[in-house]
Amino acid sequence: MLDFLNPILGRNPEQMKANVEIYTWQACPFCIRAKLLLWWKGVDYTEYKIDGDDNARNQMAERANGGRTVPQIFINNQHIGGCDELYDLDGKGQLESLLTQAAG
């Protein structure tokens, strides 16, 4: 839609090749914030909305080494953590390299 702005804004969605998965609740502010960063980076991600679904939450916790809070984020099957960890990786300049690696 506004793809012509990508170079001006420093966005490179064509370089984002990672398989990104995020477990969320619809009204969770941390989930919204994490999805906003992923959107800003131009990442296509798979979202699992687990509101009120105990089975899905248990599956998420199993993948997240016991983490039961949302969001829980995975990049190429590697558990990243939640919103704070995602922004921390971005602040350290490490998120881009994870997002540009194709799943393998």
Side-chain angles (χ1 to χ4, degrees), residues 73-99:
I73 304 161
F74 297 84
I75 300 176
N76 291 335
N77 271 334
Q78 176 186 349
H79 181 234
I80 299 304
C83 181
D84 291 342
E85 290 80 9
L86 184 70
Y87 273 83
D88 188 44
L89 285 171
D90 189 45
K92 292 177 180 176
Q94 298 172 345
L95 183 57
E96 294 280 331
S97 64
L98 290 175
L99 295 174

Side-chain angles (χ1 to χ4, degrees), residues 6-104:
N6 285 340
I8 296 168
L9 299 173
R11 297 178 74 220
N12 300 299
E14 69 282 352
Q15 294 178 5
M16 302 302 150
K17 297 179 172 116
N19 177 36
V20 179
E21 300 168 280
I22 180 170
Y23 289 83
T24 66
W25 286 349
Q26 187 171 357
C28 164
F30 296 101
C31 300
I32 294 166
R33 189 168 177 245
K35 292 188 301 184
L36 182 61
L37 178 58
L38 294 172
W39 170 83
W40 181 257
K41 298 284 185 184
V43 175
D44 288 326
Y45 56 86
T46 301
E47 180 178 10
Y48 304 109
K49 296 178 185 177
I50 63 167
D51 301 67
D53 186 341
D54 287 334
N55 289 332
R57 189 170 188 180
N58 290 335
Q59 289 174 347
M60 174 197 75
E62 194 173 306
R63 283 188 74 192
N65 302 314
R68 297 190 59 80
T69 59
V70 289
Q72 289 296 325
I73 304 161
F74 297 84
I75 300 176
N76 291 335
N77 271 334
Q78 176 186 349
H79 181 234
I80 299 304
C83 181
D84 291 342
E85 290 80 9
L86 184 70
Y87 273 83
D88 188 44
L89 285 171
D90 189 45
K92 292 177 180 176
Q94 298 172 345
L95 183 57
E96 294 280 331
S97 64
L98 290 175
L99 295 174
T100 55
Q101 295 175 14

